[in-house]
Amino acid sequence: MEARFDVLPPRERIASDRHWRVAHATGTSLPGWLVLLPRRHVTAVHDLTDAEAALGALQVRLSRALRTVTGCAKTYTAQFAEAEGFAHVHFHVVPRPEDLPPRLHGPGVFGLLRAPEPERLTADRADHMAHALMAEPGDRQNRVSPGGHPPAHATGRRPIPGTAAGSAAGRSHHRSEHRHAGPSPCGGAGPT
């Protein structure tokens, strides 16, 4: 399946390393709602390897990138792995915009994951957000509005910022077996 990884759309391969892949959630009306997926099938957090479990720093780096790109006030992280069809470990990294209505704060934000079809981000808008997030972290010129377009140089697959692969500019990063392909597991089926 690793061969299929490179043909996934940008929204499905925002960043990756040997253990994790970052995708934009589907079925959401919130630009920048990310899903952090292990590169192998795991059903419970306690089954992560020590190397996979070092994801706290990764969540912080993704949160910083979301703040730079979206201007969000803060980010939420959540992991349940309980919804039918989605009983595998994956973490939601969700930007909370400054102007988000209070009823959607905290767990209420999951209401945006089950957005009505007309309100959902289109694949094109999710790809634009993905390209902006793939751009150099911390570059304020890469900030986009929810409907905006990323800068022209924000293309291609990027390693996860701050990882060995991400800090080794110009080097290709190691890819391990990729078992998740196709749509993000966090689509219209609801939060997990």
Side-chain angles (χ1 to χ4, degrees):
M1 285 229 195
E2 186 63 27
R4 290 186 58 202
F5 187 85
D6 288 333
V7 299
L8 291 173
R11 65 189 169 277
E12 292 294 329
R13 56 181 172 83
I14 294 169
S16 66
D17 66 12
R18 293 182 324 156
H19 306 289
W20 297 95
R21 170 173 75 95
V22 180
H24 197 289
T26 60
T28 183
S29 59
L30 184 61
W33 186 310
L34 303 180
V35 182
L36 182 56
L37 304 144
R39 302 277 303 249
R40 68 181 183 94
H41 183 68
V42 184
T43 59
V45 172
H46 63 260
D47 289 331
L48 293 173
T49 66
D50 288 346
E52 290 167 336
L55 73 140
L58 171 56
Q59 291 174 336
V60 170
R61 288 189 296 274
L62 290 172
S63 294
R64 289 175 181 159
L66 283 169
R67 181 159 172 83
T68 297
V69 171
T70 70
C72 62
K74 61 170 54 177
T75 55
Y76 300 139
T77 59
Q79 193 279 330
F80 304 110
E82 296 287 357
E84 188 174 334
F86 300 101
H88 53 268
V89 170
H90 57 281
F91 292 85
H92 298 263
V93 182
V94 186
R96 204 267 290 154
E98 188 72 45
D99 61 350
L100 191 69
R103 68 181 170 72
L104 295 173
H105 287 197
V109 78
F110 278 90
L112 297 175
L113 189 60
R114 297 176 301 271
E117 187 70 34
E119 296 174 18
R120 292 180 184 175
L121 255 61
T122 63
D124 185 54
R125 285 185 66 204
D127 282 342
H128 286 296
M129 178 58 67
H131 282 297
L133 289 166
M134 288 181 208
E136 292 300 321
D139 182 350
R140 300 303 279 183
Q141 294 176 347
N142 292 330
R143 174 178 248 154
V144 295
S145 63
H149 296 276
H153 69 278
T155 61
R157 180 172 160 211
R158 295 286 229 188
I160 296 170
T163 63
S167 60
R171 284 190 305 177
S172 63
H173 66 281
H174 173 76
R175 294 183 218 158
S176 64
E177 181 179 348
H178 175 67
R179 296 184 187 170
H180 291 283
S184 169
C186 299
T192 54

